[in-house]
Amino acid sequence: MTTEIALVFLIIAAALYLFASEKLPIDITAILILVTLMVIPLIGHSPWLMERGIDLRSAFPTVREGLSGLSSTATVTVLAMFILSAGVQRAGLIHMLTKRLAPLVGDSELRMIIVIAVLMGLTSGLINNTAAVAVGIPLVMDLARRLKLQASRLLIPLSFFGMMGGTLTVIGTSTNILTSSILNDMPEFGREIGMFEFTHLGLIVLATGLLYFLTIGRLLMPKKDSKRIEAEADERFILELAIPDGSSAVGKTLKDSEFPTKHSIDVLKLVRGDDSRVKRALTTKIKAGDILQVRANVRQIMDLIKTDDAEVLSEFGEARRIRGDGHLVRVLLRDRRLFTGTTGAQVDFWKRYLGRLIGLEVKETRSRRLADDKLHVGEIVLMEVSSTALERLPRHADLLLLDAFEEKFNIWRMWMAAGIVIGVISAAVLTPLPIVVSALAGVVAMVLTRCIDAAEIYDSVSWDVIFLLAGVIPLGIAMTKSGAADLLANLLAAYAGGWHPVAVLMALYVVTTGLTELVSNNASAVILVPVAVALGNALQIDIFPLVLAVMFAASTSFLTPVGYQTNTMIYGTGFYRFTDFAKVGAPLNLLLMIVTCSSIWWLWLA
């Protein structure tokens, strides 16, 4: 082992320690790696080192190569996917899908994992798994919010099933496409791999992953989210609903009717005449005319406005259904004279602002009915106003308009966002256009169609993840330039001569998995596919099974958030520590190594 290779391994060890311990923020650690790799060649000019045959300049990335991580295809693809995902979510498509899926899942984490496995696993086999996971992240987070499940226990299965689903076809991952191209240029193989040539092996891998997450994997996943779900979950209002004649909830308890689950709301109280029920609210049979005091966010309130199961009350004391053709606005009360101990009826929001008071953004109510609750300056309320009233609202000095929400999602924009994502995926699959190009084109289309505002683009990107990739990719360049990657490959080729085919497959699998975590899935495939071909020729066994071991290992490396793009994307949500991936992924990697290699031997070599 040369000094250059030893230094690369030392930097890798230090980087892994800092990533795992999180003594520094992850993005700062990545930048530190980047700076270190670019500084070392400058030290390499030392005559003392040159006299001893140590050439650090040629073993480490130049400044241009070091900064290439910022413009890398992987980095730009992940950045574009963050924006596309935000555009789909903002357009309302995710909201619509979660409304359809929520009743099927209920509040069961087990059913949710099965739904993720089926949807993400099969979808990732038909389209690029990176794009599939990009769309799936907001979908899963919204379902977690609706069903009060932990996002951290759902996003890891999302990413892992995306990777496993990508092994079903040649187009499922960029690794498979790249490997097929490499083999096509090799005289030893001389053909491209068929689209479904290894689908049966991919199904075995996907089924193994599902079994793992239904048993051992669930026990190893994080016990709680590292952060709470943000955005709409923070803007929740207490409001009142009246149960009309003909509601599907009449004659049933709220628990039996699944009314709270269907609409993703918290029921705080049931009011019937002079009687109030808090603890028994969910177990009391509902009668027409009952009043429910609930907590919900704006989108959930919009859904309640449209349902026939309940009427959203305005003015609190008035059994008056809100119009549903206006705008919902979030306003701050700021007039001490007007909003100090007065009720909504005393203020008369309709007379003053041509608006109807709907909800209070407070932790808990202070009275039996919202109509009796005292308003205070500094509180935030939700109102419904007409378009004309909305234009006039900023003129009122006693209120401060914070947000105005569209009453309905724009259906045209919703399907336009879906069409853009489908176009991005189709262009990458059906044309020679790389997915990074089609994804960037999709970003432009999202802005032009107003699915996402230009100002929101920057907020939708997890920049710590982008810098993480920018710092780790040059580490792969150092692995290649220093000879460290070739050293690993040559050691494998030298010692595997007399091994059983299953042992050879497992050795290839282990080396590929480790290398993927240090460089990238595509880089490890480029390095190790030739090694697999050489081993097949030396051992006089079929090349294709050995290449499959490299392909599957490179596409299913779960140990860190930087080993595969989908892991990096869910890591960017902020719900995970660096070590969470190893806790869940290491046993799965071991299990899949045994299952995959044994299946390859049984299907192709036995």
Side-chain angles (χ1 to χ4, degrees), residues 568-590:
T568 308
M569 291 167 68
I570 66 165
Y571 183 64
T573 62
F575 291 110
Y576 297 107
R577 294 174 58 86
F578 195 92
T579 52
D580 287 336
F581 291 85
K583 290 177 183 177
V584 183
L588 180 57
N589 261 132
L590 179 62

Side-chain angles (χ1 to χ4, degrees), residues 501-512:
V502 174
V504 175
L505 291 169
M506 288 186 177
L508 272 172
Y509 198 101
V510 170
V511 172
T512 305

Side-chain angles (χ1 to χ4, degrees), residues 173-235:
T173 71
S174 56
T175 305
N176 294 351
I177 297 172
L178 178 63
T179 301
S180 179
S181 177
I182 293 172
L183 288 177
N184 186 45
D185 295 333
M186 285 188 170
E188 296 92 337
F189 198 73
R191 67 176 179 87
E192 290 186 355
I193 302 173
M195 175 70 75
F196 303 104
E197 194 166 342
F198 49 83
T199 298
H200 48 322
L201 178 60
L203 288 172
I204 293 173
V205 168
L206 188 59
T208 303
L210 177 57
L211 182 62
Y212 172 79
F213 274 109
L214 294 180
T215 54
I216 301 171
R218 291 185 67 204
L219 302 177
L220 298 176
M221 283 192 287
K223 301 299 182 184
K224 62 180 182 179
D225 295 342
S226 296
K227 72 170 186 178
R228 63 198 183 100
I229 298 178
E230 302 289 346
E232 290 179 342
D234 294 332
E235 299 170 1

Side-chain angles (χ1 to χ4, degrees), residues 28-331:
I28 299 301
T29 297
I31 294 173
L32 178 60
I33 295 170
L34 178 60
V35 172
T36 302
L37 292 173
M38 291 190 296
V39 167
I40 287 177
L42 301 178
I43 302 174
H45 286 283
S46 168
W48 186 85
L49 292 174
M50 298 297 291
E51 289 174 2
R52 286 158 179 78
I54 301 174
D55 187 5
L56 298 180
R57 291 175 298 176
S58 62
F60 285 84
T62 63
V63 172
R64 182 182 295 273
E65 291 172 330
L67 295 176
S68 65
L70 287 168
S71 59
S72 162
T73 299
T75 305
V76 178
T77 300
V78 169
L79 184 147
M81 289 302 174
F82 275 132
I83 299 171
L84 289 174
S85 175
V88 169
Q89 185 175 19
R90 185 180 181 275
L93 186 60
I94 299 301
H95 183 74
M96 183 186 72
L97 290 174
T98 52
K99 281 178 61 180
R100 302 293 185 270
L101 287 175
L104 299 176
V105 176
D107 58 354
S108 170
E109 181 183 272
L110 199 64
R111 273 181 286 177
M112 185 67 189
I113 290 175
I114 295 173
V115 168
I116 291 173
V118 173
L119 288 181
M120 191 54 51
L122 298 181
T123 302
S124 295
L126 299 175
I127 64 176
N128 183 274
N129 57 359
T130 303
V133 171
V135 175
I137 289 173
L139 177 65
V140 168
M141 289 180 64
D142 200 18
L143 276 171
R145 181 186 296 118
R146 282 174 173 268
L147 305 176
K148 299 178 178 60
L149 299 174
Q150 291 183 28
S152 60
R153 295 179 63 82
L154 301 176
L155 289 172
I156 276 184
L158 175 76
S159 176
F160 286 13
F161 281 122
M163 284 189 271
M164 289 183 282
T167 65
L168 291 173
T169 66
V170 168
I171 63 172
T173 71
S174 56
T175 305
N176 294 351
I177 297 172
L178 178 63
T179 301
S180 179
S181 177
I182 293 172
L183 288 177
N184 186 45
D185 295 333
M186 285 188 170
E188 296 92 337
F189 198 73
R191 67 176 179 87
E192 290 186 355
I193 302 173
M195 175 70 75
F196 303 104
E197 194 166 342
F198 49 83
T199 298
H200 48 322
L201 178 60
L203 288 172
I204 293 173
V205 168
L206 188 59
T208 303
L210 177 57
L211 182 62
Y212 172 79
F213 274 109
L214 294 180
T215 54
I216 301 171
R218 291 185 67 204
L219 302 177
L220 298 176
M221 283 192 287
K223 301 299 182 184
K224 62 180 182 179
D225 295 342
S226 296
K227 72 170 186 178
R228 63 198 183 100
I229 298 178
E230 302 289 346
E232 290 179 342
D234 294 332
E235 299 170 1
R236 291 168 65 84
F237 298 89
I238 296 178
L239 63 151
E240 290 184 343
L241 309 176
I243 304 297
D245 287 323
S247 170
S248 62
V250 172
K252 305 175 185 176
T253 67
L254 292 174
K255 187 175 182 180
D256 291 338
S257 69
E258 297 186 344
F259 180 82
T261 301
K262 179 181 178 182
H263 297 285
S264 305
I265 58 176
D266 296 326
V267 177
L268 307 178
K269 186 189 301 183
L270 185 150
V271 180
R272 180 178 295 166
D274 296 329
D275 184 24
S276 297
R277 305 181 184 185
V278 177
K279 293 183 179 180
R280 293 182 295 152
L282 295 176
T283 56
T284 299
K285 286 190 176 181
I286 298 298
K287 295 181 179 180
D290 284 348
I291 304 295
L292 301 180
Q293 196 174 103
V294 305
R295 191 190 305 275
N297 64 37
V298 173
R299 292 302 179 195
Q300 292 158 0
I301 294 171
M302 289 180 180
D303 290 341
L304 289 168
I305 290 171
K306 303 167 193 171
T307 184
D308 293 325
D309 289 334
E311 294 181 345
V312 178
L313 300 184
S314 65
E315 311 275 321
F316 298 153
E318 301 288 336
R320 181 171 182 171
R321 186 169 185 157
I322 73 172
R323 298 168 9 143
D325 60 350
H327 299 269
L328 296 183
V329 295
R330 183 169 169 260
V331 298

Side-chain angles (χ1 to χ4, degrees), residues 513-593:
T513 298
L515 198 59
T516 298
E517 299 299 341
L518 298 177
V519 286
S520 72
N521 52 317
N522 289 334
S524 61
V526 170
I527 294 169
L528 291 175
V529 165
V531 174
V533 171
L535 280 175
N537 291 332
L539 300 177
Q540 296 185 337
I541 59 177
D542 190 4
I543 293 170
F544 184 60
L546 299 179
V547 172
L548 278 181
V550 173
M551 284 173 55
F552 274 67
S555 299
T556 55
S557 191
F558 311 115
L559 299 178
T560 72
V562 298
Y564 202 86
Q565 291 176 357
T566 59
N567 276 359
T568 308
M569 291 167 68
I570 66 165
Y571 183 64
T573 62
F575 291 110
Y576 297 107
R577 294 174 58 86
F578 195 92
T579 52
D580 287 336
F581 291 85
K583 290 177 183 177
V584 183
L588 180 57
N589 261 132
L590 179 62
L591 177 62
L592 286 184
M593 179 192 71

